[in-house]
Amino acid sequence: MSILQQDIQYLPGVGPNRKKMLSQELGINTIGDLLQNYPYRHVDRSRLYSIRELTGDMPYVQVRGQILSFETFKMSARKERVVAHFTDGSGRVMDLVWFVYGKNALTKYKVNTDYVVFGKPTVFNGRIQVAHPDVEPAETLELSTMKMLPYYHTTEKMKKAGMNSRTIEKLTKTMVSTIKETLPETLLPDMLQRLHLMGRDEALRAIHYPTDAKQLERARVRLKFEELFYVQLNILRYASDHRRKYRGYVFSRVGELFNTFFYHHLPFELTGAQKRVIREIRQDMGSGRQMNRLLQGDVGSGKTLVALMTMLIALDNGYQACIMAPTEILAEQHLQTIRDFLGNMPIRVELLTGIVKGKKRQEVLNGLLTGEVQILVGTHAVIEDTVQFTRLGMVVVDEQHRFGVAQRAKLWAKSANPPHVLVMTATPIPRTLAMTLYGDLDVSVIDELPPGRKPIRTLHVYDNRMGSLYDGIHRQIQQGRQVYIVFPLIEESESLDLKNLEDGFEQLKETFPEYRLSKVHGKMKPKEKEEEMQRFVSGETQMLVATTVIEVGVNVPNASVMVILEAQRFGLSQLHQLRGRVGRGADQSFCILVTSYQLSADTRKRIDIMCETNDGFRIAEADLKLRGPGDLEGTQQSGMAFDLKIADIARDGQLVQLARDEAQRIIDEDPGCQNAKYQTLWNRLRELRKTNINWAAIS
């Protein structure tokens, strides 16, 4: 057994209790896990500062000196602040402050004892202070040899048990010195040479204890590349395998249904982007291989029209088509849109969701078996075993991130050959992220809006100007328009948010007594929610007061104003999705972002980007940079983002591309994974697939 597989319990300094804590809190069970628990930062600990040199805008510093005295201040009935007055003997004093765990500091640290204090200096009441500093007895620190000291993430539970970053660092130091053997290489020698990459053994040691910043950067690049390379190799291996295994139906005809629709029912001339995408899809469907294509396009860019024309090609070739949506509201809307587009064309389109029951449901199921139902629109109800098609040739999946890979596979099983698949999303996905989350799909982009659409004007209003905002809303409603007012609903403060919505609704009723209002939130029963939505869609109510349940799929061309309250609490992509609910008619539409005056720099940046551009891809790129891949609305693929230990898709775009190019080169040369030259790579991929990394998220 390799030393990396050894139980962490037997590393000196660990034992059963610490092993349990490491396992529960950080998922560290073996020596290998600890080795790959990378530090989040390194700090040069070789330099000592004097207090007189410190300013409030400096990064982390360390000072050697003694505690003169302690003071305790009551903050509340159960909380107190502990302050230690610390001097370095120069006559200057700074404060060490603990807002929590202050009692520990009182018992642990002694007056008139030499300590080295490390932390981030700030200025409070004209005096330097360091909050929650690292405090070490000076005699135990080898300052001359410390240099680049690694810092590791810990949790509150670990800190309470006395396991801070310093504890992890000491265990890591012991572990690195315990590993005497050279760690096995997982990349090929020619790759290391061509790409100027550090060897794995050196990188895994240097990532913890580099000699200098240059060596640390080289170690990071090597480990990031390796991580991204195996993600890409897995995606491309899966896609290549899939293409070789599954033949697709050949749809060679563009027949009567498609042409009748194109020449007599097209609601407006197709944009250049729509024409390009339909060409790409037709090419796929006639190629003899199963189409797996991702269609990206902003809200209102005409994806549903493209999907319908794609389904008509399947019908012209004697096959059925199906469109699957994440919610009943969205499914019903697709049904209505498709029926409106088709007009009096002799095509039977039916709906299958949880609310279609009894006799009607049986009629739809029978129609699918006989082939009379040509297009089925539904929710995940369409993947139930009772739903059987006679010849399913085309599947459209809307907002794909709501459906897992296993659910898509169930649809394939309903056909002799897997049907062609078109996945649609209105969440623009930056290229580097699309390469990782949807790497097995070919990508088409609709990057133009249909003619006649006016860009939505986005305005930022502070919450002390609500009076003039309400005046503007009055004017819009008097002109016959409708208005959305969105309240935040965040899980952590759900009950408070719901109360704000209820209070806000009552206040709006008082402010607009002459108008009718609808109210919708996620805690309502589906039937109630549906009724309220329908009242707004039909124009019976002029204002829809809601939480983000309206984010996906409500199409009300007459609604021209979207007011988002406490906009600072929403992510960029979420704001963009909400904004897309207006601007669907020919009138000028407005999106009003309401915030308090006090905003963080990041939040102000988000609001400014929203006001500057309507381009969903620019917004998604900015969101990815600001928030990281794990938080991006609509891209959380079963935790995919969190399986990367060191790479960051948002900031490592060039490495993602490099890793993909290398992986593609290997797949092209060895599609069957048989070539002895590449066995190191295939063995490593097999090893990784056995670990708890959620590879299903990307294949």
Side-chain angles (χ1 to χ4, degrees), residues 89-216:
S90 64
R92 294 287 180 95
V93 175
M94 70 180 194
D95 292 336
L96 314 180
V97 185
W98 290 269
F99 297 98
V100 288
Y101 310 128
K103 282 183 180 165
N104 290 0
L106 285 169
T107 53
K108 192 173 179 184
Y109 307 125
K110 306 283 181 275
V111 172
N112 300 328
T113 303
D114 263 10
Y115 291 109
V116 172
V117 166
F118 176 78
K120 170 90 180 68
T122 56
V123 176
F124 180 69
N125 284 344
R127 190 141 144 175
I128 292 288
Q129 73 168 26
V130 177
H132 296 276
D134 279 356
V135 182
E136 298 277 346
E139 65 200 37
T140 65
L141 286 179
E142 304 155 36
L143 291 174
S144 58
T145 60
M146 282 177 79
K147 293 188 178 170
M148 304 285 284
L149 189 73
Y151 277 74
Y152 298 88
H153 285 297
T154 54
T155 65
E156 284 305 313
K157 198 172 173 186
M158 290 174 74
K159 284 173 190 161
K160 278 181 184 170
M163 288 185 76
N164 56 15
S165 168
R166 193 86 175 95
T167 315
I168 306 291
E169 189 272 320
K170 284 175 180 169
L171 295 176
T172 305
K173 198 169 195 176
T174 304
M175 174 210 44
V176 170
S177 60
T178 304
I179 302 171
K180 304 292 184 197
E181 69 211 56
T182 302
L183 296 165
E185 186 50 74
T186 50
L187 297 176
L188 302 177
D190 82 295
M191 285 168 80
L192 298 181
Q193 203 174 346
R194 243 179 336 99
L195 304 174
H196 308 290
L197 293 172
M198 186 183 264
R200 184 166 179 254
D201 181 80
E202 187 188 351
L204 282 168
R205 293 172 193 273
I207 196 71
H208 296 284
Y209 296 104
T211 52
D212 53 34
K214 195 175 173 186
Q215 191 193 32
L216 174 62

Side-chain angles (χ1 to χ4, degrees), residues 365-528:
L365 295 178
N366 293 343
L368 288 170
L369 274 175
T370 60
E372 290 168 83
V373 173
Q374 293 151 288
I375 296 177
L376 181 69
V377 181
T379 54
H380 55 271
V382 306
I383 61 177
E384 289 168 9
D385 294 338
T386 51
V387 182
Q388 296 297 326
F389 295 80
T390 179
R391 295 186 90 192
L392 179 63
M394 174 75 220
V395 172
V396 179
V397 183
D398 196 13
E399 292 303 332
Q400 121 86 11
H401 58 273
R402 309 289 181 96
F403 297 105
V405 173
Q407 287 174 307
R408 267 197 286 160
K410 271 193 167 186
L411 268 173
W412 295 0
K414 294 181 184 292
S415 191
N417 275 358
H420 293 296
V421 176
L422 182 69
V423 166
M424 301 197 302
T425 180
T427 307
I429 303 158
R431 216 170 52 82
T432 52
L433 196 57
M435 259 192 266
T436 306
L437 292 178
Y438 301 108
D440 61 320
L441 303 176
D442 298 311
V443 179
S444 289
V445 178
I446 300 180
D447 47 13
E448 285 175 71
L449 285 181
R453 289 275 174 93
K454 288 182 182 166
I456 301 159
R457 283 186 61 198
T458 304
L459 308 167
H460 180 200
V461 171
Y462 293 115
D463 53 16
N464 60 355
R465 299 288 312 278
M466 293 304 283
S468 58
L469 174 58
Y470 288 156
D471 290 343
I473 289 172
H474 265 295
R475 284 194 295 276
Q476 286 288 313
I477 298 177
Q478 278 165 359
Q479 289 168 28
R481 309 278 171 261
Q482 287 166 280
V483 177
Y484 294 102
I485 304 234
V486 178
F487 281 77
L489 181 61
I490 313 294
E491 253 173 68
E492 294 81 73
S493 56
E494 206 169 278
S495 54
L496 187 65
D497 282 344
L498 278 174
K499 188 177 183 321
N500 286 346
L501 178 115
E502 300 289 351
D503 294 349
F505 183 70
E506 292 307 318
Q507 196 184 335
L508 286 163
K509 279 201 319 197
E510 286 172 27
T511 310
F512 298 96
E514 67 273 45
Y515 303 128
R516 282 166 303 193
L517 281 68
S518 287
K519 177 177 64 180
V520 176
H521 58 79
K523 292 289 170 190
M524 289 165 73
K525 288 181 179 151
K527 193 165 181 291
E528 290 173 7

Side-chain angles (χ1 to χ4, degrees), residues 628-648:
D631 294 329
L632 254 189
E633 288 299 321
T635 59
Q636 268 183 305
Q637 278 281 90
S638 318
M640 168 56 213
F642 301 107
D643 291 327
L644 298 173
K645 291 182 189 298
I646 190 167
D648 179 336

Side-chain angles (χ1 to χ4, degrees), residues 476-641:
Q476 286 288 313
I477 298 177
Q478 278 165 359
Q479 289 168 28
R481 309 278 171 261
Q482 287 166 280
V483 177
Y484 294 102
I485 304 234
V486 178
F487 281 77
L489 181 61
I490 313 294
E491 253 173 68
E492 294 81 73
S493 56
E494 206 169 278
S495 54
L496 187 65
D497 282 344
L498 278 174
K499 188 177 183 321
N500 286 346
L501 178 115
E502 300 289 351
D503 294 349
F505 183 70
E506 292 307 318
Q507 196 184 335
L508 286 163
K509 279 201 319 197
E510 286 172 27
T511 310
F512 298 96
E514 67 273 45
Y515 303 128
R516 282 166 303 193
L517 281 68
S518 287
K519 177 177 64 180
V520 176
H521 58 79
K523 292 289 170 190
M524 289 165 73
K525 288 181 179 151
K527 193 165 181 291
E528 290 173 7
K529 203 188 319 180
E530 184 64 33
E531 282 168 5
E532 287 295 300
M533 289 284 228
Q534 285 310 326
R535 286 176 67 212
F536 186 67
V537 171
S538 67
E540 189 189 326
T541 55
Q542 287 79 42
M543 197 180 288
L544 178 63
V545 180
T547 58
T548 52
V549 291
I550 61 158
E551 186 184 332
V552 171
V554 185
N555 184 11
V556 185
N558 192 46
S560 64
V561 181
M562 165 67 67
V563 177
I564 304 172
L565 300 171
E566 294 187 59
Q568 71 273 13
R569 292 177 62 192
F570 295 85
L572 254 179
S573 287
Q574 202 177 16
L575 288 172
H576 182 62
Q577 284 284 313
L578 285 165
R579 173 168 63 183
R581 297 298 113 217
V582 293
R584 292 172 162 251
D587 300 296
Q588 178 64 61
S589 289
F590 301 88
C591 176
I592 318 291
L593 306 175
V594 180
T595 72
S596 60
Y597 196 78
Q598 285 183 309
L599 297 175
S600 70
D602 265 5
T603 304
R604 204 169 283 280
K605 207 180 289 181
R606 278 211 307 272
I607 302 292
D608 288 348
I609 290 164
M610 283 296 295
C611 294
E612 282 164 23
T613 183
N614 282 308
D615 182 339
F617 286 92
R618 261 192 70 192
I619 284 164
E621 288 283 357
D623 208 16
L624 187 59
K625 286 199 170 79
L626 284 169
R627 302 174 70 199
D631 294 329
L632 254 189
E633 288 299 321
T635 59
Q636 268 183 305
Q637 278 281 90
S638 318
M640 168 56 213

